[in-house]
């Protein structure tokens, strides 16, 4: 039998259904603000309800009229903290936390965006995070984000059609470009969006119109570019999934699905939590980042709402565990020498345990045991990632969470290629396998 006549590999219907859901989530989440709204909508279908940080929380809100548990979530900017308090939970009941982040490297609109030269109208952009700049060249880009209005409210906007483009210089004008592309972040990454003379206020007038609000009511904005090419299955047998912002919306989506499932589980011995932070890609130091006070504030208030005090909070934290879930590196077929020779995660091989003894990842032996038990409980395979000793290791929210809150933390994730590209690649089965691992973690 020739390769071209072989039958496609069988696929797990549950994994395919999960991938379909992830595709929709990625497409609807061009910014952290859209991502947390989408995760909140998913949780609301499971009975979760939003709490206002400005209001008092009390134990009456922790249980339903039938005596069962109740799920809550808090939204702040591009961050979401969601948790489910099972029936019988006390003030010192520990937490089982899945941590992730909502932001991805991209191009973001500057405060004075309208610019251009030589008859071209352009938009001034700032580089956010460790972006693979070349992946944003000659790509049709939309614009999305958050508008802040004069009355203090905000409005999300999503222009999901070709609007911007960062044009690359033709090879005729740079004959050595294939010997090494060098991009000036200030001069070469300014997209075009039309012809003519730049006029101050043009972009915000346009975006306000797309959002259906008067331009004069817009007093602030957080806008960013995104590729308008939709996520898609890839390969002869559609074993792969290509799409934007998998780092790290893949984990946010998995955590939301797993938390929604855990909310209906009997016999929970810990309080399952999803902590989806913003600003991981630039250090996490913000009021919505993992190095900020949001998670600690929410967990403490939950303890106090159940009648506890400082001693109960300390006991709860001491018994808690966090899975810091972020994407990791699958072995690259064209650059296998860049990987550790004995640790080479493969697509569709299951979630990865991320290890670095210098604490770029928070995993230790006890964390490994927790992760292994969760995978065993869920019946999923798993892999291990360790960096090549000659390659600097990245980091995650894991060490930050462990150090800031004193909560035992283990770093995990899904293996992908093209991390920090405008378009990344993973195995179709892996998002579902990661979700099952999280479910085993929450319910174990």
């Amino acid at each position: 039998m020739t390769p071209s006549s072989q039958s496609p590999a069988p696929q797990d219907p549950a994994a395919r259904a999960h991938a379909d859901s992830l595709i929709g989530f990625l497409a609807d989440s061009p910014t952290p603000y859209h991502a947390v709204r989408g995760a909140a909508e998913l949780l609301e279908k499971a009975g979760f309800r939003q709490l206002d940080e400005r209001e008092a929380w009390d134990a009456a809100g922790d249980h339903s009229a039938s005596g069962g548990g109740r799920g809550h979530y808090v939204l702040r900017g591009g961050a979401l903290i969601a948790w489910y308090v099972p029936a019988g939970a006390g003030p010192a009941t520990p937490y089982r936390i899945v941590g992730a982040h909502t932001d991805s490297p991209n191009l973001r609109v500057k405060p004075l965006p309208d610019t251009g030269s030589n008859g071209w109208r352009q938009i001034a952009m700032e580089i956010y995070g460790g972006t693979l700049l070349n992946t944003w060249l000659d790509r049709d880009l939309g614009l999305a984000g958050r508008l802040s209005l004069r009355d203090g409210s905000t409005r999300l906007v999503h222009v999901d059609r070709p609007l911007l483009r960062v044009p690359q210089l033709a090879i005729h004008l740079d004959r050595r470009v294939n010997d090494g592309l060098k991009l000036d972040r200030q001069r070469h990454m300014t997209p075009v969006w039309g012809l003519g003379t730049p006029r101050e206020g043009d972009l915000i007038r346009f975006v306000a119109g797309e959002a259906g609000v008067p331009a004069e009511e817009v007093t602030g904005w957080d806008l960013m570019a995104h590729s308008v090419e939709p996520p898609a299955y890839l390969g002869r047998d559609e074993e792969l999934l290509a799409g934007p912002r998998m780092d790290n919306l893949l984990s946010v989506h998995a955590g939301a699905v797993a938390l929604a499932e855990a909310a209906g589980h009997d016999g929970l011995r810990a309080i399952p939590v999803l902590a989806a932070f913003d600003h991981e890609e630039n250090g996490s130091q913000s009021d919505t980042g993992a190095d900020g006070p949001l998670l600690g504030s929410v967990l403490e208030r939950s303890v106090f709402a159940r009648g506890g005090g400082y001693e109960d909070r300390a006991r709860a934290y001491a018994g808690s565990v966090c899975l810091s879930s972020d994407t990791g590196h699958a072995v690259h077929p064209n650059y296998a020498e860049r990987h550790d020779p004995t640790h080479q995660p493969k697509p569709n091989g299951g979630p990865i345990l991320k290890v670095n003894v210098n604490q770029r990842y928070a995993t230790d032996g006890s964390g490994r045991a927790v992760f292994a038990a969760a995978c065993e409980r869920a019946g999923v395979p798993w892999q291990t990632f360790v960096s090549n000793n000659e390659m600097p290791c990245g980091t995650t929210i894991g060490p930050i969470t462990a150090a800031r809150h004193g909560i035992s933390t283990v770093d995990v994730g899904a293996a992908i290629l093209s991390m920090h590209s405008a378009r990344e690649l993973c195995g179709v089965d892996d998002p579902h396998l990661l979700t099952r691992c999280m479910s085993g973690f929450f319910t174990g």
Side-chain angles (χ1 to χ4, degrees), residues 212-297:
V213 299
E216 59 271 17
E217 294 301 310
V218 178
T219 54
W221 55 85
D222 301 279
L223 299 171
M224 55 201 77
H226 67 277
S227 172
V228 299
E229 183 182 3
Y233 293 104
L234 186 143
R236 186 197 69 172
D237 299 335
E238 296 189 342
E239 301 166 287
L240 300 169
L241 178 62
R245 300 177 294 281
M246 290 184 182
D247 178 15
N248 187 32
L249 295 188
L250 188 158
S251 294
V252 174
H253 176 261
V257 171
L259 180 58
E261 293 175 352
H265 193 275
D266 293 330
L268 290 176
R269 293 181 293 173
I271 297 170
V273 180
L274 171 62
F277 299 105
D278 201 353
H279 301 132
E280 189 274 346
E281 298 293 358
N282 62 8
S284 295
Q285 291 186 324
S286 71
D287 69 316
T288 53
D291 204 18
L294 181 58
L295 176 62
S297 172

Side-chain angles (χ1 to χ4, degrees), residues 3 6-13 16 235-239 348 428-429:
Q6 290 177 355
S7 300
Q11 292 187 343
D12 180 355
R16 181 71 178 218
R236 186 197 69 172
D237 299 335
E238 296 189 342
E239 301 166 287
N348 292 331
V428 166
D429 293 341

Side-chain angles (χ1 to χ4, degrees), residues 93-435:
T93 298
Y95 297 98
R96 286 231 158 183
I97 305 162
V98 165
H101 67 88
T102 61
D103 59 320
S104 300
N106 59 11
L107 309 180
R108 303 202 173 189
V109 174
K110 288 184 175 180
L112 301 175
D114 300 292
T115 187
S117 64
N118 299 293
W120 294 94
R121 295 167 63 202
Q122 296 174 273
I123 301 301
M125 291 286 193
E126 192 170 4
I127 311 300
Y128 178 83
T131 309
L132 274 174
L133 295 178
N134 63 296
T135 67
W136 290 84
L137 302 178
D138 296 331
R139 191 181 291 274
D140 295 339
L141 305 174
L143 201 63
R146 177 179 66 174
L147 300 177
S148 297
L149 307 184
R150 194 176 302 278
D151 63 3
S153 64
T154 59
R155 185 74 59 91
L156 297 187
V157 60
H158 186 183
V159 184
D160 197 30
R161 63 180 185 273
L163 182 68
L164 310 171
R165 187 179 179 93
V166 183
Q168 189 169 188
L169 185 66
I171 193 170
H172 312 80
L173 304 178
D174 185 2
R175 292 293 184 177
R176 301 184 63 183
V177 64
N178 288 326
D179 296 329
L181 176 63
K182 178 66 174 177
L183 294 170
D184 185 296
R185 296 162 68 92
Q186 177 65 32
R187 294 185 296 122
H188 298 157
M189 297 305 298
T190 304
V192 300
W193 80 309
L195 300 174
T197 303
R199 293 173 297 184
E200 184 178 353
D202 264 2
L203 179 68
I204 299 307
R205 280 190 289 272
F206 168 78
V207 174
E210 291 288 315
V213 299
E216 59 271 17
E217 294 301 310
V218 178
T219 54
W221 55 85
D222 301 279
L223 299 171
M224 55 201 77
H226 67 277
S227 172
V228 299
E229 183 182 3
Y233 293 104
L234 186 143
R236 186 197 69 172
D237 299 335
E238 296 189 342
E239 301 166 287
L240 300 169
L241 178 62
R245 300 177 294 281
M246 290 184 182
D247 178 15
N248 187 32
L249 295 188
L250 188 158
S251 294
V252 174
H253 176 261
V257 171
L259 180 58
E261 293 175 352
H265 193 275
D266 293 330
L268 290 176
R269 293 181 293 173
I271 297 170
V273 180
L274 171 62
F277 299 105
D278 201 353
H279 301 132
E280 189 274 346
E281 298 293 358
N282 62 8
S284 295
Q285 291 186 324
S286 71
D287 69 316
T288 53
D291 204 18
L294 181 58
L295 176 62
S297 172
V298 168
L299 297 185
E300 287 180 349
R301 293 184 69 180
S302 178
V303 168
F304 299 156
R306 295 192 303 280
Y310 176 82
E311 185 71 15
D312 299 293
R313 186 211 70 99
R315 292 171 59 201
Y317 280 27
S320 297
V321 185
C322 175
L323 281 189
S324 165
S325 181
D326 205 342
T327 53
H329 302 292
V331 61
H332 197 301
N334 299 338
Y335 301 91
E337 73 281 359
R338 301 295 183 97
H339 299 263
D340 184 87
T342 57
H343 299 83
Q344 300 195 338
K346 306 295 194 300
N348 292 331
I352 56 175
L353 178 73
K354 302 162 74 171
V355 178
N356 179 266
V357 295
N358 294 302
Q359 289 298 295
R360 301 292 285 173
Y361 303 133
T363 304
D364 61 10
S366 61
R368 184 184 190 276
V370 170
F371 173 71
C375 289
E376 181 178 349
R377 180 180 178 86
V380 303
W382 58 278
Q383 312 176 80
T384 305
F385 171 82
V386 180
S387 288
N388 185 309
N389 286 332
E390 290 294 326
M391 298 288 127
C393 181
T395 190
T396 68
I397 65 167
I400 295 172
T401 302
R404 183 170 182 84
H405 304 293
I407 291 175
S408 176
T409 302
V410 53
D411 272 292
V412 305
I416 70 169
L417 290 184
S418 305
M419 188 183 295
H420 287 199
S421 170
R423 196 167 178 85
E424 297 160 328
L425 185 70
C426 75
V428 166
D429 293 341
D430 285 328
H432 178 57
L433 293 174
L434 178 63
T435 304

